[in-house]
Each structure stands twice: as C-alpha cells, then as structure tokens.
Amino acid sequence: MIPQTFEYTAPATLDAALESLASGERKLLAGGQSLIPLMKLRLAAPDELIDLGHIPGLNEISEAAGTIHIGAMATHHAIETAAAIRGFCPLLAETASRIGDVQVRNMGTIGGSIAHADPASDYPAALLALEARVHLVSQRGERTLPYSEFLLDAFTTALEPDEIVREIEVPVEGSSEGYRYEKHPHPASGFAVVGVAVRVQARGGKITMGRVAVTGMGPHAFRDEGVERLLLDGASISNAVAVLGEGHDANSDTYASADYRRHLARVSAARALTTAISRVA
Amino acid sequence: MATTTIKPQTLVGRGIRRCEDPRLITGTATYLDDIKMPGMHHAVVVRSPHGAAKISGIRTDAALALRGVSAVFTGADVAHLGPVPTAASLPGLRVPHHHLLAQDRVYYQGHPVAVVVASDRYIARDAADLVEVDYEPLPAVTDPEKAIAAGAPAVHPEWPDNTAFTYHQEGGDAAAAFQQADVIVTQRITSQRLIPVAMETRGVVAEWRPGEKSMTLYSSTQIPHLMRSLVAGILGMPENHLRVITPEVGGGFGSKLNVYAEEALVAFVAMRINHPVKWVESRRENFQATIHGRGHVDYYEVAAKRDGTMLGLKLKIIQDLGAYHQLLTAAIPTLSVLMMPGLYRFKNVSADIVGAFTNCVPTDAYRGAGRPEATHGIERMVDILAAELKMDPAEIRLKNFVQNSEFPYATATGLSYDSGNYAAPLKEALAQVDYPSLRAEQERARAEGRLMGIGLSTYGEICAMGPSPAMPAGGWESATVKIEPSGKVTVLTGASPHGQGEETTFAQITADELGVPIEDIMVVHGDTATVQYGIGTFGSRGTAVGGAALYYALQDLKAKIKKFGAMLLKTDAVTLANGACLDEKSGNSASLAQIATAAYVAKELPPNTDPGLVATRFWEPPNFTFPFGAHIVVTEVDRETGQIEIRRYVAVDDIGRIINPLLVAGQVHGGVAQGLGQALWEEAIYDDTGQLVSGELSEYAIAKAASMPWIESSHTETPSPVNPLGVKGVGEAGTIGCSPAVVNSVVDALSHLGVRHIDMPLTPEKVWKLIAQGGRA
Amino acid sequence: MPGCESLERIGDNEFAMRMKMTLASLAGRFDGKVRIADPDPPARFRLIVEGSGRIGFMKGDGVLRIEPAPAGSVVHFDGDVQVGGTIANVGQRLIETTAKMLIKRFFDKVNGEAAVTPAVLPPASGS
C-alpha cells in the first residue's frame, strides 16, 4: 500500500526529461495506472520518478496527410472521444473505450501503456492491425519504427533506457473499412483475457483486405497472417479462424487455461470478423 | 395545558431515508483510519509469506536501526499472553494454541510473525521490510479433502490426521427411509472458500493511560462488548479497565464478528511504548489474514418416492477450517446441519461433519455462515431429484413444503420453525415471471439452439441469533432508552450496527412508540463505556433481537411516562400519543418535555416511583426466527464461450414485518450481490504450497455495479411470533437464496446437453468444457 | 544467467547467488542458491535455483539434456517453477509467461556465449 521512498521530479520540457532519464534508476511516470499499483505493492521500486504530465504538447491528437498523430501522453479517454480518431481511426477509439474503467481511462496514457507492454493490454492488438508506428526520442536523437518491431515480448519493448515514446502514428483507415475490437475481459482486473482487433475491406462479398491481431492469448500480441491469408483466399470465417494462433504460445492462469484461451481467441476473432464485415460501408 | 390534534404519522413500515447517510456520504463520519491522536505511532505486522514453515531465526537490528522506529516485537515478547480465543465448543474439539504472534512455526500465509512500531506509517512500512526472518519451508496442504486423506503433511504436528473434530447428528431413521426409497440421488457439492472483502479493512487504535491503568481500544468490529471481555482476558487486564469504541465500520459481513490477534497485539504494543498506536490492514493483508468464508465439500444423498415425496436426507460435510480456530470457526458447519432440510418435511436425516485443518487462514462466519452452504446443497438436490423424476422443479417443491398448518414446525434437526407460508413467495415469483410462458419460451429457444435456463430456489434460513442456550456467548440483546430533561430521546443499543441502518430503524420504532419527531431521537452504539453490555450485530439479529429489546424498554418507559403524566394532570388515567400525555376527560395534556423536566426536577414524584426517565431491558429471545423466500433466475448461456448472462432476477423474500422497505431492499440487493459473487466469480484459491494466488482485487472478482442484473425485489409478510415486532431478519437472506437459483438456472439451460451439476463459481471455461464434453466434467 | 550479480561456490555443485531480475517496471533482487544435482556429464544434469527477495521467493527445478547435433548441440530443458510471496499473490496470471520468458532469456544468453541453439522451450508449469 505504501511504496518505497523515491525522488519525484516534474520537468517542464521534454529535453529536461530526457536529461534526467540519461542516468540512474529512473522511471517515467505517465498516467501511473500500471506503475503506481506496482510501486504500492513494492514490486517496483524506482529511485526516481520523472513525471511527464507537466510537459506541454505531449498529448496532442491531430491528423495530417493521411496519418493520425497521437501524442504519447494522450489519455485513453481522449483517444476514445477525439473527433479525429473516431472519424479516421475508429478501431483505435473502440479499443480505447474497452480499457479498464472510467477512472483508468481518465488517467492512463497510450505511451505509458505501450511502453509497459502488458501481455493483456488492449492497444497492441489494435496497433498491430493498424500497422502503427512509434516515434521515440532520446538525447541521442529520434527514431521511428513499426509497432510490430517495437513490441518484442511480455513487458519487453525496443525502448532503450534513455528513450521516451514521443508519438504514435496511425495511418487513416479507409472510409469504407469495417473494424471491430472484440474483448473478453477478466472479471476482476478488466484486462484482456483475449482481445482481437480486426479490420476488413470487402467488395462484392469478397474480402479484399484483412488484418487480424490478437492480444492476451500469449506472451505478447501478434498479427495472425495465416488467418489473414485464408480470408483473402475466400475462406469462410470459421475456416479462417480455425488456424488462429498456430505457432503461438497461449497463457494459462487460474481464470483460463491455455486451451480455453486459444478457443476464446478463435471465437472472438470470428465474432470480430462478422461485426467488422457488417460494418463495411 | 394545550390540546393537540395532529394526526399521527407512523414511521414503521415507511421507507424513510437513513439518518446515518448524510455523514457517511459527505465524508464527515469517523472511521478507524480517521482517528488521529497526539503522539500516535503506527504499527505494521510482518507476516509469513509461506503456507507452512519453521522459523529458525528472527533478526530485528536492521529494522530497529531505522530512524523513527520505536520498537519491534516478536513471538517471544507475547508468548506469555493469552491465546486468540475460540468460543465454539464441540465434543472432542482439538484446539491448537493460537499465540498472538507465531512462535517457532508458521501455519498459513499471512500468519503474523512480528510487529514493527514507528512514529509514522511510512517508516513502519519500510522497517517491516528490514525484519529478517529465516524460514525453513515445510510441505503444506490446502485442500481439506487432501488434508484428511492418508499421507497428507500434518498442519499441526500433534494431529497428523488434520482432523479437528468429527460431529454426528441424526433425526428419525435415515437408514430405513433410504431402504424404502424408490429413488436415491447423490451428489458431491462444494461451497468454495470466499473472501468477505468489506470495503473497509480491519484496523485498531490503542490508547493506554498508565496513570489510570486504563486502555481504550478502537476497533472496526461487529462485537465491541464481547471483544472487550475477550481481549481483557488475553491481556490479563481487568475487564473494567478496558474500553472498546467502535467507530464507523465500513462493512463487516461477519468478517468482523471476531476477535483477532491484532486487537490484543496493538493494545500490548501501546502499553509497552506508552504512546497511542494505530494499525490498519492493507487489502493484501486483509485477503490473507482476515477470516474467509464457506469452504465446504459436501456429499449429499436424498431418498424419495417415485411421486416426488422426499423421505430421507444424508449429508457429509468436510469443512475447511484453516490452520486455527477463530471465534466461531468450528460452529459454522453445525449451522449447516441445522438447516439442511430447508423448507421441506424431512423426518429422517443423518449428518456428519469432519473439520479439517489446512495451511490456510481460518474460515469463520461470512454472510449466511453455514446457511448458504446448506441451502445451496438442498436446493441443488431437489433440482437433481426433479430432473431424475422428470418433475417440474416448482411442483416438487410445493409437494414437499412444510404446510401452513404445521407451524411451529419441529424439524428433524431439532429446530422449531416459527412461522411460514412457503408456497406464497414461490407462487408469487412464478406469477411475476409468468412461468408457463417462460417454459414455452425456453422450448423455442432450445429449438433455435439457444441455451436458456430457468432456475429457482426456495430457501429457508435461521437467524435472529438467538436463544442463549444455543449460543456460545449469549444471544440476548440490550437496550436503554433515556428521555433527557429537555424531552429529547437517546437510545443506547447493545447491538452494534455497521451499515445496516439501525440508527434509522430504531429511531422509527422509538418515534412511533413515544410519538416524538424522529429528529429528537439519537441512537448510540459501539462504546462499551456508554452503552450497556450487548452482544453485537451479526446473524441478522439487529432488529429482530436488538429491536425487540428496544421495544420492551420503550414499553417500560411509556408506563413511567404515563405515571408522571397522570401526576402532572392530576388524573387517574392518561393516554400517550403524539409525544404528550392526554387526559381524555378534561382534554388537558402534558408534553414529553414537561413530563421529563418533572421527572428530573422531582419536586413531586408519583407513588412508588423513582426520579428520572430511563429504562433498560435485556431481552432473551425464546427462539430463532426463520425467514424464507423464493428466487427465480433466468439465464442465457453463450454456447461458444460459456459466459452466462442473467436476463432476469426475481426475488420474493418473506422476512416478517418490514420496518423500513428501503433498508430491506438494500439488504436484499447487497445479499444478492454477494450470492452472485459466489455463484459466478469468486474463489479464494490457495496453491498446494500455501500461496494465496487470488491475493488482490485484480485477481479476485467481486460483484461490481456494472456486473449486476436488475433485481426485482418484492415480499410476502408472515410475521414472526418470536418477537413483538414480528420481524424475522433480512441481512443474510438475499445471499442464501441467490446462489442455488443461479446454479439451478444454468444447469437447467444445459440439462438437455447432459449436464447435471456444476460447482461454483460458474466460470466461463468450466461451463464451456461441460457443454463441449456433453455434461461429463 | 541474465541479471546474475554474483555467483560464489560454497560447496560441491553448489553456489551462493545474488541475482537482479528486471522485467519492465519490476525489479527484484534475489539472494539464494544454485545447485547442480544428479550430474550425468555430458548428457544431462538437474539445475535447482532457489532465491528469495522482497518481492517474493522462487524455486526453479529443471532437467537439462544435451544432445549432439550436426551443428553443435541441442539442449532440452524440462522444468517446474514455484513462486511465493507478493509475486504469487498478485501476479499469478503472469507467472507462467514470465518464467518461460526468463528461461528463454537464459538460453538466449547461453546461446550467445556458446553458440548453442535453444530448442524445445519448456512447458514450465507454475504452482
């Protein structure tokens, strides 16, 4: 309930934050919805917290030239409700709306969430399906990489110790695209036991584009290109999802065994696809 | 003296808003953690992370060296103090000595090992991490059936069979009944271990005054007076030097109907360091070290005739006790045996209990305390029998109910059911859901491949605890009513409400009896220095027993008021109404304020009458009371995921006379929420090394507002003859009626697929597997 | 071993170990023992790792089998992990995932040191 002692700084600029980050056992504090509970349980004990919340300009959401730019400090609530996201990237808005609960969404940020990389978090499925990119900054410079290369494993990303997530870039979804984030939440924590994010384009009853990404099932979210290929080949939904997760480990815990999780992922994918196809304009 | 002709407005029976609520919802109430005292220190308890281990050494130097730490105490420091007491007594009960702090072994994860005291809570928490304990882990056993099987590790070395007691009770001739039966159905049914999860965790503040040798203990407890007596015993302190004050309590549900090591420990610490000390439990500690509920593995057998008449009932309970006895641990399953026949006319019963030690925190009373388990069991068995005989579940119940003409009804388990009308709530519930149409809808749903279920439970329950011969530490309750010289009224109740709303209910009763405005009444409780000895609030007894004591005290007081009234009005007979005594002949009246002043100023006294206007009553109930009801739950099961949707929840509860319908609705809703938790989401899970893996609210899923169905709650009202109010009690009824209705509903949804029984909690995976495997687990 | 800060021989086939495990925000220091048991060089041996720290304690017990292969050796690992304390109380949903990942990290590092390709990741069952 009471964390170990720590120093707290709230830099006013990104440069000041990057400078603090360059040395020592420091942790960045974004929305605090993952970090603070860990600190209260004394599972995490950083020497210093660098609070990004006072740095202006880190939470802006804008659209330019077919790309939506989402500042790392944008809250889940902002993403759920921003006109630009609801209009151009509704899959992300729908995914954000399923995170945790109202209080968590008011505080939690997309940058904090993806840096923490909890296997049961919601964004990874959507970001993989959307082929998002992540923009990182450090004192050494800046770099951008596909989200699929940013997310490596459970709680493991390509983020270097001196880097901060600056922005997430998402290409604007096609206006006739169908989408759906289908989630089976854990009854206690609200985390995704499984969550499947789907985007489809279809013409004349045939799928012309499909993206299927799964979170919660295994140690990290993944895009299932096997399912996507079958869909493009004209397979039925049930035949396509039958191969979902092949070659991927499934987690097992007291709520759901690996077998059930795998099954749930297939059921969720099928339902997500059905809904997404019905939403194709 | 003026006459008044205001039409009386009775408050009893009206759903007025609670008097407690303004302070509770504006944050101006005082809970334990709000208590601040000059020089107050903070204590943190160091607890065993192991389910079973030897302690080979403890080093406290690093903790003591931390600036701000005033003391660290370990097992050796408290070995001379009394053990944590148990009030349950059963023949041959094996009671391990329960030291306040572990001595050379720990027996469950969370077992207190040391207590660190510092000038603030932050330092105390840091210092707790610096206490070094050398543990040698031992094999543990956390499943009660495994614990009593051969080869299990011994929880307590002196009793390698891990059996704390065996108990047998029978009535009639079960063997004969089973021989005559056309049909026998058997089933293993579990009521899983649960964590009570009161919103406010436990906490204690101790203030020692060395000059007066007096100790004031503040504790978030349901039983201040009993706790005082027992803690005084543990400390070896004269009882009249100990005062216990209960601040606002944020929920108890039975988990605070207890005496815990920390209560005596914090008092001991205060005496040693000569500063007030506060201890507040974290949520994780609460999960590990506050008692758990339920923990049954039950084997049921029911014998019946082909026409559905039930002849005999056999029950074997394996009770998971945990590692120690807390206050009522061993007694809880005996309540299950008492209520095992439910609402049915079983003349032949046989029950056995085996109490098993496990390396887990002790179990004890939790909302329903033995009765949800019994009701769940018998209601499942009735459905299983109905399915076997292809009878409608409502029909078989109506056929076997105790009939209205049979009350008071002597059960084969030795109880006397006070009053009942068992068919009424069932028929009312069936009408509300339009049962025949529901069944028709179910047929259509099945044809479409949808899994719709209709489940009912008709429950009975034993509460208003209770006649003292049957209770471990007294079952009466006390009340004092004082009319102050100004005419204001103070009620002191020995019950200790902790969220039930008795300040409102008792004010309603008092207002009606005395005819005073409710604003003039103050209800006081929870202070052993102010309030006469009382037993406390648990077992749905607050209004049924505490309210009855209040009623009788009010009658005594009214008699005295009339004497003074007659004296003042210089007449023989007066009537008391609207807060005044009225002389019908002359039309003169004297207000309560005038009468009170006269009683205290005492210029004149009626013959044989003392000054003052106070009445105290200790009331012994002649019996328990027996609420009953019917819950009907309509569910739909998602075939592909096993998820359960509750489409409709109807509860018709008969809790006797209703004093405040708003409070009763609250109790029903809260009771159903906890019943749903057991049926669908909750389970305290220990792994087989003794780790509580459901250790936080992120793992243990309690009911939340968003997960609750709409509850259609209504009542029939069959007064109880046991107390003058006719009240039966409602605190636990909702929980008791809920879980079997839910499970019966889901089994009904899946019965055509071959499913016959499912154990709680009905997790989606469990349900999905059963569907996939055609009913075989 | 990734995060191993010190390893000191205290007996035949037994080492005192100090390890720091980092996983995103979690950082736990463990003090404990590493023991090699049932040695059957060069084909197999049992590795028992026990550690305890503030965030809890853990015990890993697994059998390593080393088989010759065309381009080096193939190491098979089959083991059990038991966890206790805070990490067990609040992290049970992640124990299996994390255990597998850390074991994989170990073998990735071994691979780096000795050019051995890790094969057949263990079905590590948590308690």
Side-chain angles (χ1 to χ4, degrees):
Chain A
M1 211 175 82
I2 296 172
Q4 282 168 233
T5 312
F6 59 93
E7 294 295 316
Y8 169 84
T9 56
T13 65
L14 191 54
D15 284 337
L18 289 171
E19 174 141 0
S20 295
L21 201 51
S23 46
E25 273 249 23
R26 288 167 172 80
K27 263 313 270 177
L28 293 168
L29 177 65
Q33 299 303 292
S34 302
L35 181 58
I36 305 289
L38 286 171
M39 289 176 66
K40 285 187 167 183
L41 289 166
R42 297 197 167 207
L43 287 174
D47 293 332
E48 183 177 336
L49 282 192
I50 303 168
D51 187 346
L52 296 174
H54 300 264
I55 301 173
L58 281 185
N59 62 354
E60 283 160 6
I61 299 173
S62 63
E63 185 270 330
T67 303
I68 300 168
H69 298 266
I70 303 166
M73 288 296 284
T75 63
H76 311 320
H77 174 75
I79 293 170
E80 178 186 353
T81 55
I85 298 184
R86 290 171 80 88
F88 296 120
C89 184
L91 173 61
L92 195 62
E94 181 166 82
T95 305
S97 77
R98 301 298 309 274
I99 298 173
D101 56 38
V102 171
Q103 289 96 327
V104 166
R105 293 196 289 275
N106 284 341
M107 296 290 293
T109 66
I110 187 167
S113 176
I114 67 171
H116 186 66
D118 190 307
S121 57
D122 298 290
Y123 282 129
L127 295 175
L128 285 173
L130 290 164
E131 296 173 270
R133 288 144 61 80
V134 185
H135 189 74
L136 308 172
V137 293
S138 71
Q139 285 193 312
R140 298 173 287 114
E142 306 180 353
R143 59 185 182 123
T144 303
L145 59 161
Y147 179 72
S148 55
E149 288 172 29
F150 175 80
L151 175 65
L152 299 176
D153 207 336
F155 300 105
T156 314
T157 66
L159 200 62
E160 294 292 335
D162 65 341
E163 279 182 317
I164 296 179
V165 178
R166 171 81 179 79
E167 192 180 88
I168 293 99
E169 295 170 16
V170 175
V172 167
E173 288 179 53
S175 55
S176 59
E177 227 174 79
Y179 66 91
R180 172 70 176 162
Y181 180 62
E182 184 84 21
K183 174 180 180 179
H184 181 116
H186 187 283
S189 65
F191 272 112
V193 176
V194 300
V196 181
V198 159
R199 294 166 57 209
V200 289
Q201 290 270 29
R203 203 177 313 130
K206 241 187 90 62
I207 293 188
T208 56
M209 182 280 288
R211 298 282 178 272
V212 178
V214 181
T215 186
M217 191 190 101
H220 59 86
F222 61 92
R223 217 181 105 184
D224 201 313
E225 298 180 41
V227 173
E228 291 173 7
R229 264 196 299 278
L230 283 172
L231 287 170
L232 282 175
D233 287 346
S236 67
I237 291 179
S238 58
N239 285 341
V241 302
V243 310
L244 185 116
E246 274 174 12
H248 288 270
D249 269 344
N251 301 331
S252 183
D253 63 20
T254 54
Y255 179 72
S257 69
D259 280 346
Y260 179 66
R261 253 197 181 77
R262 203 178 282 280
H263 166 80
L264 206 54
R266 289 176 184 154
V267 171
S268 303
R271 292 180 181 183
L273 283 164
T274 306
T275 306
I277 290 168
S278 76
R279 283 172 169 174
V280 171
Chain B
M1 303 191 191
T3 58
T4 47
T5 45
I6 300 169
K7 194 166 187 322
Q9 220 182 24
T10 54
L11 290 172
V12 168
R14 286 182 42 205
I16 63 167
R17 291 214 207 133
R18 304 197 326 173
C19 314
E20 298 88 327
D21 285 350
R23 70 181 190 263
L24 294 178
I25 63 181
T26 57
T28 48
T30 302
Y31 289 86
L32 185 109
D33 202 12
D34 294 320
I35 295 171
K36 293 185 188 10
M37 292 177 187
M40 189 167 76
H41 279 49
H42 290 258
V44 169
V45 176
V46 177
R47 298 181 185 277
S48 167
H50 296 280
K54 285 199 189 130
I55 298 177
S56 45
I58 304 186
R59 286 174 302 289
T60 58
D61 354 351
L64 283 165
L66 192 63
R67 190 150 159 270
V69 172
S70 38
V72 181
F73 299 102
T74 63
D77 296 309
V78 298
H80 65 289
L81 295 174
V84 179
T86 184
S89 81
L90 289 167
L93 183 68
R94 292 164 165 174
V95 181
H97 191 93
H98 191 176
H99 285 279
L100 299 183
L101 288 174
Q103 299 293 302
D104 57 346
R105 267 175 82 131
V106 290
Y107 292 87
Y108 62 98
Q109 184 179 52
H111 193 163
V113 169
V115 56
V116 174
V117 195
S119 52
D120 76 39
R121 68 198 323 160
Y122 304 96
I123 298 173
R125 179 63 188 87
D126 284 344
D129 276 354
L130 296 175
V131 174
E132 294 163 45
V133 186
D134 298 323
Y135 293 105
E136 291 168 31
L138 295 167
V141 60
T142 56
D143 174 297
E145 274 190 301
K146 287 189 182 148
I148 57 175
V155 174
H156 293 281
E158 59 263 52
W159 300 303
D161 62 3
N162 291 326
T163 300
F165 69 94
T166 58
Y167 176 87
H168 179 77
Q169 182 174 333
E170 54 184 77
D173 188 343
F178 274 74
Q179 274 191 333
Q180 296 157 20
D182 297 328
V183 161
I184 294 174
V185 285
T186 68
Q187 182 63 49
R188 177 185 186 272
I189 301 178
T190 60
S191 281
Q192 75 277 29
R193 199 180 243 266
L194 297 177
I195 301 177
V197 198
M199 194 175 291
E200 183 206 18
T201 61
R202 291 186 293 132
V204 180
V205 171
E207 186 191 11
W208 169 243
R209 293 200 180 151
E212 299 146 25
K213 293 202 175 55
S214 78
M215 170 78 69
T216 304
L217 261 191
Y218 299 78
S219 180
S220 187
T221 180
Q222 295 174 227
I223 48 167
H225 287 95
L226 289 178
M227 192 206 124
R228 168 179 176 251
S229 303
L230 292 169
V231 170
I234 297 173
L235 297 171
M237 168 183 291
E239 190 180 2
N240 55 356
H241 283 239
L242 177 59
R243 175 183 186 185
V244 171
I245 298 177
T246 307
E248 214 72 64
V249 174
F253 310 114
S255 71
K256 295 173 182 174
L257 159 61
N258 228 303
V259 175
Y260 286 95
E262 292 89 347
E263 285 164 326
L265 211 48
V266 176
F268 163 81
V269 169
M271 285 193 280
R272 290 288 295 265
I273 69 168
N274 273 310
H275 288 283
V277 183
K278 179 194 277 189
W279 167 77
V280 174
E281 212 183 21
S282 71
R283 179 62 61 189
R284 195 153 57 90
E285 281 182 282
N286 174 264
F287 271 36
Q288 287 182 15
T290 296
I291 59 100
H292 289 178
R294 319 273 189 266
H296 272 226
V297 178
D298 296 339
Y299 290 88
Y300 273 87
E301 296 179 63
V302 173
K305 296 205 317 224
R306 192 148 299 286
D307 70 355
T309 310
M310 298 195 285
L311 299 174
L313 172 63
K314 284 192 205 166
L315 168 59
K316 177 169 176 186
I317 300 173
I318 299 168
Q319 170 72 53
D320 175 358
L321 299 171
Y324 284 107
H325 298 282
Q326 283 286 148
L327 197 63
L328 299 170
T329 300
I332 305 300
T334 63
L335 291 174
S336 306
V337 167
L338 287 176
M339 283 309 293
M340 69 190 224
L343 302 182
Y344 311 108
R345 298 149 92 226
F346 280 106
K347 292 291 174 210
N348 308 296
V349 300
S350 171
D352 286 285
I353 308 174
V354 178
F357 285 123
T358 56
N359 289 107
C360 307
V361 73
T363 53
D364 208 311
Y366 168 55
R367 201 165 199 164
R371 291 100 71 203
E373 299 90 312
T375 306
H376 191 81
I378 191 61
E379 287 303 288
R380 281 295 307 127
M381 292 311 290
V382 170
D383 258 35
I384 288 172
L385 179 65
E388 181 76 21
L389 296 175
K390 299 193 183 358
M391 273 183 80
D392 178 272
E395 280 313 305
I396 197 171
R397 285 169 165 85
L398 287 164
K399 189 181 184 66
N400 283 280
F401 279 159
V402 172
Q403 297 302 303
N404 291 5
S405 55
E406 296 179 272
F407 289 96
Y409 178 75
T411 74
T413 54
L415 297 172
S416 174
Y417 287 174
D418 58 351
S419 63
N421 183 357
Y422 296 155
L426 178 57
K427 289 185 175 166
E428 173 59 28
L430 292 169
Q432 284 184 25
V433 301
D434 190 357
Y435 189 63
S437 302
L438 263 188
R439 285 291 177 200
E441 191 190 333
Q442 184 181 44
E443 282 303 303
R444 290 193 298 276
R446 274 197 186 155
E448 291 168 24
R450 283 165 42 222
L451 305 173
M452 174 183 155
I454 306 160
L456 32 114
S457 79
T458 48
Y459 72 93
E461 110 100 328
I462 176 175
C463 69
M465 308 293 179
S468 298
M471 301 278 289
W476 46 266
E477 199 39 87
S478 68
T480 296
V481 186
K482 300 195 256 191
I483 315 238
E484 316 288 357
S486 59
K488 303 294 185 203
V489 183
T490 306
V491 170
L492 306 173
T493 173
S496 198
H498 46 280
Q500 289 82 355
E502 249 74 7
E503 284 174 38
T504 309
T505 318
F506 287 6
Q508 284 173 266
I509 294 168
T510 305
D512 279 5
E513 288 296 312
L514 297 179
V516 298
I518 199 166
E519 299 76 36
D520 284 357
I521 303 167
M522 175 120 164
V523 178
V524 172
H525 54 89
D527 183 342
T528 61
T530 330
V531 178
Q532 72 289 338
Y533 208 97
I535 302 295
T537 294
F538 55 88
S540 306
R541 72 194 300 273
T543 305
V545 189
L550 171 63
Y551 176 86
Y552 285 114
L554 286 166
Q555 304 318 304
D556 291 349
L557 203 55
K558 280 160 71 171
K560 195 167 186 185
I561 291 170
K562 284 182 181 169
K563 276 197 198 168
F564 275 93
M567 179 194 83
L568 286 176
L569 295 169
K570 299 187 181 0
T571 179
D572 294 329
V574 293
T575 55
L576 175 59
N578 308 329
C581 277
L582 172 68
D583 175 13
E584 309 249 342
K585 282 185 290 191
S586 65
N588 294 332
S589 68
S591 73
L592 198 55
Q594 288 164 324
I595 290 169
T597 308
Y600 285 97
V601 170
K603 293 270 193 242
E604 197 195 338
L605 290 172
N608 302 316
T609 307
D610 297 332
L613 217 49
V614 178
T616 298
R617 276 283 215 130
F618 285 63
W619 185 70
E620 166 71 16
N623 194 2
F624 303 95
T625 63
F626 298 88
F628 55 95
H631 289 201
I632 298 187
V633 180
V634 180
T635 53
E636 190 145 341
V637 178
D638 183 326
R639 184 189 284 270
E640 288 182 303
T641 64
Q643 277 180 296
I644 297 164
E645 184 204 337
I646 296 184
R647 282 183 31 195
R648 200 159 172 198
Y649 197 108
V650 167
V652 182
D653 300 293
D654 195 317
I655 51 143
R657 187 144 161 257
I658 294 175
I659 309 276
N660 185 323
L662 200 61
L663 269 60
V664 166
Q667 289 288 11
V668 172
H669 290 194
V672 168
Q674 288 178 312
L676 288 177
Q678 171 150 32
L680 299 174
W681 306 303
E682 297 181 39
E683 185 172 10
I685 303 175
Y686 283 90
D687 73 14
D688 50 23
T689 68
Q691 297 295 309
L692 180 64
V693 295
S694 58
E696 260 289 349
L697 285 166
S698 51
E699 295 293 329
Y700 186 88
I702 58 172
K704 304 179 190 57
S707 46
M708 291 291 294
W710 186 258
I711 301 168
E712 296 168 55
S713 166
S714 59
H715 302 274
T716 57
E717 222 167 307
T718 307
S720 170
V722 170
N723 60 69
L725 302 171
V727 162
K728 285 186 186 253
V730 67
E732 295 157 289
T735 298
I736 291 166
C738 174
S739 66
V742 174
V743 178
N744 283 347
S745 187
V746 174
V747 171
D748 183 63
L750 307 177
S751 59
H752 64 296
L753 302 175
V755 173
R756 174 193 145 93
H757 180 69
I758 319 176
D759 270 329
M760 304 182 285
L762 270 47
T763 58
E765 176 166 1
K766 208 184 266 186
V767 173
W768 168 73
K769 268 201 184 128
L770 275 175
I771 296 173
Q773 293 157 0
R776 290 175 310 284
Chain C
M1 274 187 299
C4 182
E5 293 180 331
S6 76
L7 200 61
E8 189 192 308
R9 185 183 281 274
I10 55 173
D12 286 347
N13 295 330
E14 201 169 319
F15 301 83
M17 161 198 82
R18 169 158 288 190
M19 192 165 103
K20 183 172 162 196
M21 215 145 53
T22 349
L23 195 61
S25 320
L26 267 92
R29 267 210 170 75
F30 289 90
D31 288 338
K33 285 202 288 259
V34 178
R35 199 157 55 92
I36 298 170
D38 310 339
D40 188 13
R44 56 171 276 155
F45 62 95
R46 201 169 134 213
L47 193 65
I48 303 162
V49 180
E50 285 175 278
S52 75
R54 258 181 219 180
I55 68 171
F57 51 89
M58 51 77 94
K59 181 172 176 182
D61 189 338
V63 173
L64 274 102
R65 270 185 308 119
I66 305 168
E67 283 175 356
S73 311
V74 172
V75 177
H76 297 272
F77 180 72
D78 187 0
D80 248 328
V81 170
Q82 263 173 27
V83 183
T86 306
I87 31 183
N89 297 139
V90 308
Q92 65 83 22
R93 70 174 171 102
L94 298 166
I95 286 173
E96 204 187 277
T97 311
T98 317
K100 282 191 201 169
M101 215 183 63
L102 292 169
I103 291 167
K104 181 164 174 287
R105 262 195 209 171
F106 169 69
F107 282 109
D108 281 348
K109 221 172 173 221
V110 168
N111 187 29
E113 307 258 329
V116 168
T117 309
V120 186
L121 282 175
S125 51
S127 283

